């Protein structure tokens, strides 16, 4: 009976260690997703939206032109934002049902980041499509 007890305790202990290691890995990977953006315009965190607009060297129409050179699609949203003291435009572009997020420097128009935005619903649909393909393969 004691052998089984030690075995069960060992399994539980290893499971706990594995869970802690996995949680630590997830936390580390989440930190990597944070972007380190540096724009040409540095601003204070407490300025008004009007002051942000005055500080920007380009406007939303310029951002649309810059993005159109990079990617075809419909610009569905543009916002001027203070990203940790960096003045940037964040834009969303829809192209063939794919949403791409852009971060554009509000000073010089440089694209600082471009990333395909895959929502949870799209991820779930992709998994369902993959499961459907596996079912077809089995038949």
């Amino acid at each position: 009976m004691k052998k089984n007890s030690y075995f069960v305790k060992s399994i539980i202990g290893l499971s706990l260690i594995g869970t802690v290691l996995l949680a630590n890995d997830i936390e580390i990977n989440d930190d990597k997703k944070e972007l380190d953006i540096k724009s040409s315009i540095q601003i204070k965190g407490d300025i008004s939206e009007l002051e942000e607009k005055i500080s920007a060297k380009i406007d939303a129409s310029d951002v649309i032109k810059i993005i159109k050179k990079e990617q075809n699609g419909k610009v569905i949203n543009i916002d001027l934002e203070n990203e940790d003291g960096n003045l940037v435009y964040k834009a969303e572009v829809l192209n063939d049902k794919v949403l791409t997020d852009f971060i554009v420097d509000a000073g010089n128009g440089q694209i600082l980041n471009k990333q395909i935005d895959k929502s949870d619903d799209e991820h779930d649909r992709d998994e369902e499509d993959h499961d459907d393909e596996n079912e077809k393969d089995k038949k």
Side-chain angles (χ1 to χ4, degrees):
M1 208 58 175
K2 285 190 176 186
K3 287 184 181 179
N4 287 341
S5 176
Y6 290 126
F7 180 73
V8 170
K9 287 179 183 177
S10 297
I11 295 295
I12 291 171
L14 289 172
S15 297
L16 289 173
I17 291 170
T19 302
V20 169
L21 292 174
L22 179 62
N24 190 32
D25 186 43
I26 290 170
E27 184 177 318
I28 290 169
N29 288 338
D30 285 346
D31 289 344
K32 290 178 185 176
K33 291 180 183 177
E34 290 183 25
L35 299 174
D36 187 25
I37 295 171
K38 275 291 197 211
S39 71
S40 62
I41 300 176
Q42 302 295 301
I43 58 175
K44 294 180 182 177
D46 59 351
I47 70 170
S48 69
E49 286 184 31
L50 178 60
E51 290 174 306
E52 287 179 358
K53 288 180 183 178
I54 292 169
S55 298
K57 304 291 184 213
I58 63 173
D59 62 17
S61 63
D62 296 324
V63 174
I64 292 171
K65 291 174 190 172
I66 291 164
I67 290 173
K68 291 284 186 178
K69 289 179 184 176
E70 179 75 18
Q71 176 177 330
N72 289 328
K74 182 178 181 180
V75 178
I76 59 173
N77 188 33
I78 297 178
D79 292 315
L80 181 61
E81 294 187 13
N82 178 354
E83 226 11 77
D84 296 324
N86 297 283
L87 191 59
V88 296
Y89 283 96
K90 288 188 172 182
E92 294 176 321
V93 179
L94 185 61
N95 184 12
D96 294 329
K97 298 182 183 178
V98 175
L99 190 64
T100 305
D101 295 328
F102 283 84
I103 298 177
V104 179
D105 189 315
N108 59 21
Q110 180 182 358
I111 296 174
L112 302 175
N113 189 294
K114 174 183 168 184
Q115 180 174 326
I116 294 175
D117 183 18
K118 193 166 192 176
S119 70
D120 291 336
D121 292 337
E122 289 175 334
H123 181 69
D124 292 344
R125 280 195 298 268
D126 288 348
E127 286 181 0
E128 287 174 7
D129 292 344
H130 184 70
D131 290 344
D132 290 344
E133 288 174 8
N134 287 340
E135 288 297 318
K136 288 177 187 176
D137 290 342
K138 288 179 184 177
K139 293 179 183 180

